[in-house]
Amino acid sequence: MRAKLTYVVTAAVLVFYFVLAGSRGVLLIRHGTLLTVTFGVAVLILPVIGVWFLWKNTQFVRRANALASELDAEDGLPVDELVRTPSGRIDRESADAVFARRREETEDSPDDWRCWFRLAVAYQDARDTPRARTAMQRAIALHMDKPVRA
């Protein structure tokens, strides 16, 4: 719940910034000189890129959460079997061992989105966020391509 609240607050702050920057860009364009119009267009490009980036990330999070909900309904979410330090951090060797099992599982069933989802969680536990995101994107793509059941 805390992560969701943080995401919503951060998104709201970004939207506020996009509106503020966009209004400054419009003011520059309205000024009417070649220099201010050029700068105004450049300033307007930043909020457009930001809105696109925020939209893509929001879609990613919503789709990943939908997969997690579906796996939870199937009792297929990965069990937290990681060893933790006294401070609560995940032990690196434990994360690597779980990751190795998840990677083998995914190699055995490369077209199963559930395996890719669990691999993404293992990557995240091993502190490899870029690969975790890539694996989750693969899980989402495989899930979206699944045939519709009658």
Side-chain angles (χ1 to χ4, degrees):
M1 183 64 182
R2 182 176 176 175
K4 192 175 196 177
L5 181 62
T6 301
Y7 189 83
V8 168
V9 169
T10 303
V13 169
L14 282 171
V15 168
F16 175 75
Y17 167 75
F18 298 151
V19 169
L20 186 64
S23 69
R24 298 298 180 229
V26 169
L27 287 175
L28 284 168
I29 291 171
R30 283 187 182 165
H31 196 272
T33 67
L34 178 62
L35 185 63
T36 60
V37 169
T38 304
F39 279 135
V41 170
V43 168
L44 283 177
I45 289 172
L46 293 174
V48 169
I49 293 170
V51 166
W52 174 82
F53 184 75
L54 183 61
W55 175 251
K56 294 305 277 183
N57 277 304
T58 301
Q59 281 183 318
F60 174 77
V61 168
R62 292 183 73 213
R63 289 175 179 160
N65 285 339
L67 294 186
S69 295
E70 189 171 329
L71 263 181
D72 188 31
E74 298 173 355
D75 288 329
L77 284 176
V79 177
D80 186 1
E81 54 189 312
L82 299 168
V83 176
R84 299 185 188 278
T85 63
S87 66
R89 291 186 61 120
I90 295 171
D91 178 62
R92 180 70 179 196
E93 291 178 14
S94 174
D96 288 344
V98 170
F99 169 76
R101 285 199 315 270
R102 298 294 183 217
R103 186 183 63 223
E104 289 174 11
E105 177 184 295
T106 305
E107 288 171 353
D108 291 342
S109 301
D111 294 329
D112 186 358
W113 67 267
R114 293 163 185 84
C115 294
W116 282 97
F117 182 94
R118 289 188 282 268
L119 180 64
V121 172
Y123 269 127
Q124 188 63 38
D125 290 341
R127 300 185 193 121
D128 191 348
T129 304
R131 288 187 178 150
R133 188 172 182 87
T134 301
M136 187 60 73
Q137 288 169 337
R138 175 83 172 142
I140 291 167
L142 286 170
H143 184 263
M144 292 174 70
D145 288 342
K146 73 177 187 177
V148 178
R149 295 180 185 163

